[in-house]
Amino acid sequence: SRAYSLVDSSQVSTFLISILLIVYGSFRSLNMDFENQDKEKDNSSTTGSFNGNSTNNSIQTIDSTQALFLPIGASVSLLVMFFFFDSVQVVFTICTAVLATIAFAFLLLPMCQYLTRPCSPQNKISFGCCGRFTAAELLSFSLSVMLVLIWVLTGHWLLMDALAMGLCVAMIAFVRLPSLKVSCLLLSGLLIYDVFWVFFSAYIFNSNVMVKVATQPADNPLDVLSRKLHLGPNVGRDVPRLSLPGKLVFPSSTGSHFSMLGIGDIVMPGLLLCFVLRYDNYKKQSNSDSCGAPGPGNISGRMQKVSYFHCTLIGYFVGLLTATVASRIHRAAQPALLYLVPFTLLPLLTMAYLKGDLRRMWSEPFHSKSSSSRFLEV
């Protein structure tokens, strides 16, 4: 078909990996909720009381104000990188490497827990003021540090993709959208942000700001350090410039070009899918498939069985495929959120209305009226 001919292997790899990252990050987030609930139940059995409002301090919930101002903050950051990249590139590279190290360690943690379970206890080892860590956590962090060091020395795109995957999963797992209202505010604002900086920034700044910032390589910190310390012409000078892990890149089968997808185009829709997955689980646990006011008309039992997560995930797949085809047709960078936001939000809103869940999902969907509720409130 014509659609198939407009998509090469690199783009297929990009959106398949992005879908896997969203699914994995969403289920890691849901698993963290289960672990927090188990801890709260253990604490309640120990202390004789249960506090349903307690949350994990490491989880960041986005409120309406943050959702409105996040596109503005992202625009300011983009302009800073556009005008002052030469001045801040080393600091930005180091900060990105540190964040990528922590995020990739989080990505590797389940595998390391599986590997260390037969041969070592899960007791934590104390490192003084640094904290206490299990053997699996130490192993995942060591592997992550090793990967980042190899990436700094080689600059290989596969290692950059691995670090970008860790950032995607960590952000989806640790950042939460509390309601459909906040989700609509955030994604709508980011859609406008993405469209403006891709399509209209060239008219103001004589350059496509988004594309230039996303594709501009940074000086290698080892090269900068060798020049600052005057270590000689052969020390640290043969290391490559680094393309920062703020995107996924895959080479085409011919090697003539790379397909690129920013991690924001994965994380932001991923937060929406994480939200609907948690809502599906909440409804299933509370045995209230008919909660909320009934929607208009008769809704078939088959449609009632379709989960919001599967509906939104299919929308993400179709939206990303549409963005991929559009980029090949126009032979230019496309704002992926222009396609992803409508294809995810509109089916979700329609299904929520037909199922009668729209009002509840719009505001405080996880709030339980029962004081004895054992669900995590986020």
Side-chain angles (χ1 to χ4, degrees):
S1 66
R2 177 160 177 77
Y4 179 78
S5 66
L6 291 172
V7 180
D8 62 21
S9 59
S10 64
Q11 292 170 319
V12 171
S13 301
T14 301
F15 69 71
L16 288 179
I17 291 295
S18 68
I19 290 173
L20 291 176
L21 290 174
I22 286 177
V23 173
Y24 180 67
S26 299
F27 278 94
R28 285 290 298 272
S29 175
L30 188 63
N31 186 63
M32 289 170 62
D33 279 356
F34 290 149
E35 292 176 353
N36 291 336
Q37 290 177 26
D38 292 339
K39 290 178 181 178
E40 289 175 351
K41 290 177 182 179
D42 293 340
N43 293 336
S44 66
S45 63
T46 302
T47 62
S49 61
F50 177 80
N51 182 9
N53 294 326
S54 59
T55 59
N56 191 337
N57 292 330
S58 61
I59 294 174
Q60 175 65 44
T61 302
I62 298 178
D63 57 26
S64 299
T65 303
Q66 292 171 331
L68 287 173
F69 282 95
L70 195 147
I72 299 176
S75 298
V76 173
S77 300
L78 200 64
L79 286 175
V80 170
M81 293 296 296
F82 180 73
F83 286 111
F84 306 105
F85 184 80
D86 292 337
S87 302
V88 301
Q89 58 179 325
V90 176
V91 175
F92 190 73
T93 302
I94 294 174
C95 292
T96 303
V98 172
L99 291 176
T101 302
I102 299 172
F104 194 73
F106 175 77
L107 180 65
L108 292 177
L109 184 57
M111 180 191 71
C112 294
Q113 288 174 334
Y114 177 79
L115 293 175
T116 59
R117 186 178 296 117
C119 56
S120 67
Q122 295 301 313
N123 297 331
K124 292 189 175 184
I125 304 171
S126 176
F127 283 84
C129 61
C130 295
R132 298 170 59 86
F133 306 95
T134 63
E137 292 170 342
L138 294 174
L139 177 61
S140 65
F141 184 75
S142 301
L143 293 175
S144 181
V145 171
M146 186 183 305
L147 181 79
V148 171
L149 291 177
I150 297 174
W151 167 67
V152 171
L153 292 173
T154 64
H156 199 279
W157 65 268
L158 266 178
L159 301 179
M160 184 193 71
D161 279 359
L163 298 177
M165 292 176 193
L167 288 170
C168 289
V169 171
M171 291 177 69
I172 293 173
F174 285 100
V175 180
R176 304 291 171 84
L177 295 175
S179 66
L180 192 54
K181 173 185 175 181
V182 175
S183 303
C184 290
L185 288 174
L186 178 65
L187 291 176
S188 299
L190 290 173
L191 185 152
I192 298 172
Y193 155 86
D194 208 16
V195 169
F196 173 80
W197 289 111
V198 173
F199 284 155
F200 301 105
S201 61
Y203 296 104
I204 302 174
F205 302 99
N206 297 320
S207 177
N208 191 317
V209 175
M210 182 73 78
V211 173
K212 183 175 181 180
V213 171
T215 58
Q216 189 168 5
D219 288 340
N220 197 303
L222 295 180
D223 183 24
V224 176
L225 185 64
S226 66
R227 284 190 275 110
K228 293 292 184 182
L229 298 179
H230 305 287
L231 297 179
N234 297 324
V235 179
R237 299 300 176 88
D238 57 344
V239 292
R241 301 191 74 191
L242 298 176
S243 184
L244 301 181
K247 53 192 176 291
L248 289 180
V249 296
F250 286 92
S252 64
S253 56
T254 60
S256 59
H257 67 276
F258 278 80
S259 175
M260 182 177 66
L261 181 67
I263 64 173
D265 300 323
I266 302 173
V267 171
M268 295 308 165
L271 296 179
L272 179 65
L273 272 94
C274 179
F275 164 74
V276 295
L277 178 64
R278 287 162 42 233
Y279 184 79
D280 284 333
N281 180 72
Y282 180 83
K283 281 191 65 177
K284 182 179 179 181
Q285 289 191 22
S286 60
N287 295 320
S288 56
D289 293 336
S290 61
C291 66
N298 295 325
I299 306 303
S300 65
R302 180 175 297 181
M303 185 173 182
Q304 286 287 355
K305 293 180 181 179
V306 177
S307 68
Y308 292 111
F309 179 76
H310 291 137
C311 172
T312 312
L313 184 62
I314 293 172
Y316 180 83
F317 177 84
V318 175
L320 194 56
L321 181 62
T322 305
T324 302
V325 173
S327 68
R328 293 300 298 273
I329 292 176
H330 299 287
R331 298 186 180 278
Q334 295 291 308
L337 292 180
L338 175 62
Y339 307 93
L340 295 175
V341 172
F343 275 102
T344 53
L345 271 183
L346 293 181
L348 173 60
L349 291 170
T350 302
M351 177 171 284
Y353 174 75
L354 293 176
K355 284 188 174 186
D357 290 335
L358 183 57
R359 179 173 296 181
R360 183 169 186 176
M361 292 180 71
W362 187 255
S363 179
E364 298 185 356
F366 303 103
H367 178 70
S368 178
K369 296 181 179 180
S370 172
S371 60
S372 61
S373 172
R374 298 298 176 114
F375 299 107
L376 181 66
E377 183 179 349
V378 295

